[in-house]
Amino acid sequence: MKRAAMRLCTLNRGLFIHGRGLTQGYQYTPKQGPLHMREACSSIHVNHVRDKLREIVGVSTNWRDHVKAMEERKLLHNFLAKSQKALPPRKMKDSYIEVLLPLGSDPGLRDKYLTVQNTVRFGRILEDLDSLGVLVCYMHNRNHSVTMSPLSIVTALVDKIDMCKQSLSPEQDIKFTGHVSWVGKTSMEVKMKMFQLHKDDAFWPVLDATFVMVARDSENKGPAFVNPLIPENAEEEELFKQGELNKGRRIAFSSTSLLKMAPSPEERNTIHEMFLSTLDPKTISFHSRILPPNSVWMEDTKLKSLDICHPQERNIFNRIFGGFLMRKAYELAWATACSFGGSRPFVVTVDDIMFQKPVEVGSLLFLSSQVCFTQNNYIQVRVHSEVASLGSNEHMTTNVFHFTFMSEREVPLVFPKTYGESMLYLDGKRHFKSMSAPVTLKKDYSVEP
């Protein structure tokens, strides 16, 4: 206890060098053009992000020491705020971070992100986004009076990841930016962007992401208050307002879930028309089913995988890293879309990934992927994640992932056979329609597993 108390000194002093404020160019969108190197503030290396997280949380890099490190974190419980009013408000620029992924200058690192087609592994990008989102939130809530943060910040939801290009070269540097854009009492919304360096020495936008993170106490057992957020100008007020709207949209979407409510009349008509189109005209029977031309039964689009969750894949709280789960789910989804469409698919949107339960080290991870909706050359893939302990046959759902891919050519229609598959079809259609607009990705380099 005495040893842990001695470690409670100044946090993070000089850890990040911040550049200009949000009002002077921190917000970059595809419409606003590239982020030039001379405009960028100082960045940290992508390999250092998880090291910084361990430093902030105060955990050991050795698995054998994890129990002792978690015991020390119990001492931080007294540093938690009793109310949000007791915490000083923060600005968006206080949490702003830039992280550099130097693919162009680090061949060794490049191999980790490289596919056999000489493209960038998008699953690795998902891992980096997850780590960055957590670090951004720790920057928002940093306390200069302590070395270790009393908060346990974890990813609650991947609200949306939109690709604006498929041009990820494995030979050009990538830059991530992120900051807190909305704050509740115990939750935070994080906006992140990804850029890639081009020949004009400018980082051009590639990806926009919105994550929702939650703060827990030092033992990760209950909710904890986070610092309030104060917008400084009209642009930031719009971002904050959008965060409120996003929260309302998520609540509305959840309340109309097909697991809670019956499909709408329009959706019921859609399913019935699909059912009628599969009846064999040679018989007068509800049991005789045939596929329409250029169609595939949904049950024939499945792929499955099994992983053992080793300590290597743990996060700073000694649970399985959420980015690892996203990478494994994405790679299976990509393989499913590739097998189904018969050509190389490109990811367009990732949305509504809810982290329902933590995954313990040593668990068996079962992933089941299937195509649940198609339209033209779009493929909507759903991945269901379950875990079981090594000593138990009981399976628990931990995540459901939704990925939208675009194939190089038009793909078959997918038809459900059962009522359960019909609900998956409608759910997939809802997620597909939640895309901002049909996407035409600019083609230089594709985004692959």
Side-chain angles (χ1 to χ4, degrees):
M1 183 170 181
K2 182 177 180 181
R3 176 188 168 195
M6 291 175 64
R7 298 170 66 185
L8 304 179
C9 56
T10 304
L11 168 72
N12 221 5
R13 191 165 293 164
L15 192 61
F16 301 101
I17 303 172
H18 296 281
R20 301 181 302 169
L22 283 164
T23 58
Q24 295 175 287
Y26 268 7
Q27 292 300 312
Y28 295 95
T29 67
K31 292 182 180 179
Q32 291 172 310
L35 171 63
H36 290 272
M37 292 186 71
R38 63 180 180 270
E39 296 174 339
C41 68
S42 299
S43 302
I44 63 171
H45 193 289
V46 69
N47 284 348
H48 297 158
V49 171
R50 294 183 76 173
D51 292 337
K52 297 301 181 185
L53 287 172
R54 291 189 185 97
E55 179 182 329
I56 292 169
V57 176
V59 298
S60 171
T61 57
N62 297 319
W63 169 248
R64 64 178 180 271
D65 297 332
H66 75 280
V67 174
K68 183 178 180 181
M70 289 298 104
E71 285 295 320
E72 288 185 352
R73 282 194 56 78
K74 291 181 180 180
L75 304 176
L76 299 172
H77 202 275
N78 291 333
F79 291 91
L80 293 170
K82 300 298 187 291
S83 69
Q84 192 176 43
K85 292 181 180 180
L87 295 169
R90 296 286 159 78
K91 302 172 183 178
M92 291 189 188
K93 66 183 179 184
D94 292 333
S95 61
Y96 181 85
I97 303 175
E98 289 189 359
V99 174
L100 183 65
L101 175 58
L103 297 180
S105 56
D106 190 341
L109 180 64
R110 189 185 308 152
D111 284 348
K112 179 182 175 181
Y113 288 80
L114 194 63
T115 72
V116 70
Q117 292 87 11
N118 198 40
T119 58
V120 173
R121 295 178 62 182
F122 186 68
R124 293 292 189 193
I125 300 299
L126 291 175
E127 289 183 321
D128 293 336
L129 288 172
D130 192 52
S131 294
L132 174 60
V134 175
L135 184 55
V136 163
C137 290
Y138 274 116
M139 292 301 297
H140 174 82
N141 293 282
R142 65 190 183 280
N143 183 345
H144 292 285
S145 65
V146 296
T147 298
M148 295 183 293
S149 173
L151 297 177
S152 301
I153 296 175
V154 296
T155 306
L157 172 72
V158 177
D159 185 73
K160 182 78 75 172
I161 301 175
D162 288 321
M163 297 295 298
C164 51
K165 300 174 84 173
Q166 68 184 56
S167 55
L168 287 185
S169 165
E171 298 178 356
Q172 298 293 335
D173 289 355
I174 284 174
K175 186 183 291 290
F176 299 93
T177 69
H179 66 86
V180 172
S181 57
W182 174 87
V183 167
K185 289 185 177 181
T186 62
S187 61
M188 296 155 283
E189 182 183 90
V190 178
K191 293 286 187 184
M192 292 176 283
K193 296 180 183 290
M194 186 172 77
F195 306 83
Q196 182 151 54
L197 185 66
H198 279 240
K199 295 179 181 179
D200 57 357
D201 284 340
F203 283 93
W204 285 84
V206 174
L207 170 153
D208 288 311
T210 303
F211 281 41
V212 177
M213 324 299 287
V214 294
R216 311 276 290 172
D217 61 28
S218 55
E219 297 180 74
N220 198 11
K221 291 183 177 180
F225 293 108
V226 297
N227 293 71
L229 180 66
I230 297 180
E232 289 190 279
N233 53 53
E235 182 185 10
E236 293 183 12
E237 287 175 358
E238 185 63 29
L239 278 175
F240 193 91
K241 180 181 178 181
Q242 185 59 52
E244 290 283 357
L245 294 175
N246 289 342
K247 178 183 177 182
R249 170 180 52 79
R250 289 190 291 265
I251 293 173
F253 194 85
S254 175
S255 65
T256 58
S257 167
L258 292 166
L259 293 171
K260 300 177 182 178
M261 294 185 63
S264 68
E266 180 183 356
E267 290 175 329
R268 291 197 292 268
N269 287 336
T270 296
I271 293 302
H272 191 66
E273 289 172 2
M274 293 183 72
F275 173 74
L276 293 178
S277 69
T278 63
L279 293 180
D280 189 346
K282 298 178 182 179
T283 64
I284 306 177
S285 171
F286 290 130
H287 296 288
S288 183
R289 308 278 296 277
I290 59 172
L291 273 172
N294 192 34
S295 302
V296 177
W297 291 120
M298 185 185 292
E299 65 182 8
D300 295 329
T301 68
K302 291 183 179 180
L303 287 181
K304 295 185 178 183
S305 71
L306 168 64
D307 283 278
I308 302 172
C309 298
H310 295 290
Q312 180 185 8
E313 308 301 343
R314 73 190 187 278
N315 62 16
I316 54 177
F317 303 111
N318 294 301
R319 303 282 178 77
I320 293 301
F321 176 42
F324 168 78
L325 301 176
M326 286 195 286
R327 174 167 64 85
K328 301 302 291 188
Y330 171 79
E331 290 175 352
L332 183 62
W334 186 92
T336 303
C338 183
S339 176
F340 176 82
S343 65
R344 192 169 60 194
F346 312 120
V347 64
V348 174
T349 299
V350 181
D351 78 313
D352 195 28
I353 300 176
M354 178 74 74
F355 289 83
Q356 300 177 20
K357 292 181 180 295
V359 178
E360 301 292 341
V361 173
S363 300
L364 299 178
L365 175 66
F366 298 86
L367 296 177
S368 178
S369 173
Q370 70 181 124
V371 177
C372 54
F373 177 80
T374 61
Q375 180 175 300
N376 300 326
N377 61 332
Y378 289 100
I379 306 171
Q380 188 71 35
V381 181
R382 180 183 189 269
V383 181
H384 183 253
S385 169
E386 293 180 323
V387 296
S389 66
L390 293 176
S392 171
N393 290 325
E394 183 181 0
H395 288 216
M396 293 189 302
T397 297
T398 60
N399 305 83
V400 178
F401 304 85
H402 303 276
F403 302 97
T404 305
F405 294 94
M406 186 172 64
S407 181
E408 292 179 313
R409 55 179 180 240
E410 191 165 322
V411 298
L413 296 174
V414 63
F415 274 79
K417 264 189 178 180
T418 66
Y419 186 81
E421 288 181 345
S422 297
M423 297 303 99
L424 289 178
Y425 178 90
L426 293 178
D427 188 57
K429 186 176 182 179
R430 288 182 179 184
H431 281 92
F432 176 76
K433 285 188 171 182
S434 71
M435 277 198 308
S436 301
V439 178
T440 302
L441 298 180
K442 297 180 181 179
K443 188 174 183 180
D444 293 314
Y445 291 83
S446 59
V447 183
E448 298 189 7

